[in-house]
Amino acid sequence: MNSEANFDYLKYMTDHADKKALLSELMTAYGREVWNYAYSISRKREMADDITQEVFIKVFKNLHGFRSDASVKTWLLTITRNTAIDFQRSAFLRKVTLTDWSLETGESRSVEQEVMEKQSVNDMWKLVLKLPTKYREVIILYAHHQLSLREIADMLDVTEGTVKSRMFHARKKLSKLKEQNAYGSNG
């Protein structure tokens, strides 16, 4: 959802603006993306719910702190990442499987094709969740949240070269994991 243009007025917001209405709009526009990102980091539904709630509480308290040097989406995802890391430091993590992710295309396909594609996408995201955090987050921010390399670098406070390197290593590790899964299921 490309809602950036709708939130340009955030840059000019004052303390007297209707923060509740703005929060509601942000939750509607970005709530699912914040939750998905929180889930991709925590790999636990309940924790993703808690992280998402905490993110929007922080946003409400710090709306005046939004700076125009980042997009609203990048700002929210940065808060999500930092909050998730805080939660991970203080919480016990359990393994979970990724919820259904759907592949959206306008083409008409058979049910069999749709099931096969959905399974393939689910399998790939399960492999992504097995990656170490530094590789997992660049893949998710790039592939799922469609952030640019520059935005990812700014968000993670690393250079673009580091992001490119992590992407390269993440793809390499995904290839190995995919290969291991193929041999494991056939053998």
Side-chain angles (χ1 to χ4, degrees):
M1 169 179 251
N2 189 3
S3 301
E4 286 303 320
N6 299 344
F7 295 103
D8 281 342
Y9 62 90
L10 257 180
K11 298 171 187 172
Y12 311 105
M13 204 177 120
T14 66
D15 289 333
H16 303 296
D18 186 359
K19 288 170 62 173
K20 288 181 183 178
L22 179 57
L23 181 68
S24 178
E25 289 178 38
L26 288 171
M27 289 173 73
T28 301
Y30 295 105
R32 177 171 281 151
E33 288 189 65
V34 166
W35 188 91
N36 284 338
Y37 189 44
Y39 180 77
S40 72
I41 294 170
S42 68
R43 295 185 269 183
K44 186 174 178 185
R45 290 177 188 258
E46 298 81 17
M47 190 179 287
D49 291 342
D50 292 342
I51 291 167
T52 301
Q53 182 176 4
E54 185 67 26
V55 164
F56 285 108
I57 289 171
K58 288 178 180 180
V59 167
F60 182 77
K61 290 178 179 176
N62 297 298
L63 276 172
H64 63 279
F66 174 74
R67 298 184 318 264
S68 60
D69 49 331
S71 69
V72 173
K73 182 178 181 176
T74 303
W75 181 59
L76 287 169
L77 292 177
T78 300
I79 294 170
T80 304
R81 178 178 184 264
N82 293 337
T83 304
I85 289 169
D86 290 345
F87 267 70
Q88 284 183 317
R89 287 183 185 142
S90 65
F92 175 76
L93 297 176
R94 294 189 319 241
K95 288 186 179 181
V96 295
T97 57
L98 185 63
T99 58
D100 291 338
W101 294 64
S102 62
L103 180 66
E104 295 179 17
T105 61
E107 302 170 4
S108 175
R109 300 177 315 247
S110 72
V111 172
E112 190 174 311
Q113 285 175 315
E114 287 182 29
V115 168
M116 294 294 286
E117 286 177 12
K118 191 171 185 178
Q119 185 61 45
S120 177
V121 169
N122 284 342
D123 290 347
M124 184 56 75
W125 282 113
K126 286 177 185 176
L127 293 177
V128 168
L129 287 178
K130 290 181 181 180
L131 292 173
T133 303
K134 69 181 184 178
Y135 301 133
R136 183 175 65 234
E137 67 185 353
V138 294
I139 291 289
I140 290 168
L141 290 171
Y142 185 78
H144 182 69
H145 294 288
Q146 299 179 343
L147 296 183
S148 69
L149 295 177
R150 167 72 6 230
E151 289 174 314
I152 295 169
D154 291 344
M155 187 175 158
L156 301 179
D157 198 26
V158 297
T159 65
E160 271 188 76
T162 300
V163 172
K164 289 177 185 177
S165 173
R166 288 179 183 179
M167 291 283 283
F168 172 79
H169 290 290
R171 289 178 177 140
K172 196 172 174 181
K173 286 182 180 289
L174 281 172
S175 291
K176 284 183 182 177
L177 286 171
K178 193 173 179 182
E179 192 174 294
Q180 289 171 353
N181 276 6
Y183 288 129
S185 63
N186 292 338

